[in-house]
Amino acid sequence: MANDVIIALDFPTAEETLGFLDRFTGKKPYVKIGMELFYAEGPAIVRTIKERGHSIFLDLKLHDIPNTVKKAMRVLSELSVDMTNLHAAGTRAMMEAALEGLTRPDGTRPILLAVTQLTSTSEQQMHQELLIGATMPETVAAYALNAKAAGLDGVVCSPLEAKLVKESCGEGFWTVTPGIRFADAKKDDQARIMTPEKARRYSDYIVVGRPITQAPDPVEAYERCVSQFLN
Ligand code: C5P
């Protein structure tokens, strides 16, 4: 069920990011910090944005041996992020270790999502390079079920796969979907896109980058996106 719009803060520096966020004087949007900004500015940028009152999805897509992921997740949970993620390809054991690391001494923890197959991976690449013989929908559904069995809260997926995930894992298992464009907009490099209104049925959160960050009036674009997604 449509819950909120998350703005992808795909900026190279803290200065540009904070300048962008300064425009939002009313509601503080939920934001996503990805590898580019995190690797450039480190944990300090997470703390700064958190202190400004935003909820944060830290999109670092962890994938390593279970013990390493567990320890890394412990660090991220101490940063007080609200949502973070990993690759389901890391196996159920890795996902379970991640959840353990993420859980704070008081029992609370950030939302943990799994990436199934990246939307940039084609079915042909999956067959020929990853040697996965199943189809893309079968793979996405199986990885989502693994994530659910490990105790995760949901997956990041294409809005076109969200229905399949809900049908496989149940309505309560979250779908967080990038690849969102306004009806009249250009696609950029996203191939499989959906409008905020259409995404509403099967996405719990939509992640929106350039349609908001590159808009002439980002605050207006954000508000339009929220009203189309939530109403
Ligand atoms: O600018 P745009 O709306 O395309 O940004 C989408 C955001 O979601 C980017 O930060 C991108 O890295 C991320 N993302 C994606 N597709 C995925 C996973 C993450 O577009 N499968």
Side-chain angles (χ1 to χ4, degrees), residues 144-145 147-148 151-155 165-166 169-175 204:
L145 281 168
K148 188 180 178 193
L152 271 67
D153 305 292
V155 292
V165 170
K166 293 285 190 188
C169 300
E171 281 288 334
F173 192 66
W174 286 6
T175 53
D204 296 282

Side-chain angles (χ1 to χ4, degrees), residues 59 61 85-89 113-119 143 154-157:
D59 177 21
K61 302 186 180 74
N85 62 357
L86 45 65
H87 275 283
L113 306 172
V115 175
T116 55
Q117 277 294 342
L118 291 171
T119 47
Y143 282 26
V155 292
V156 182
C157 64

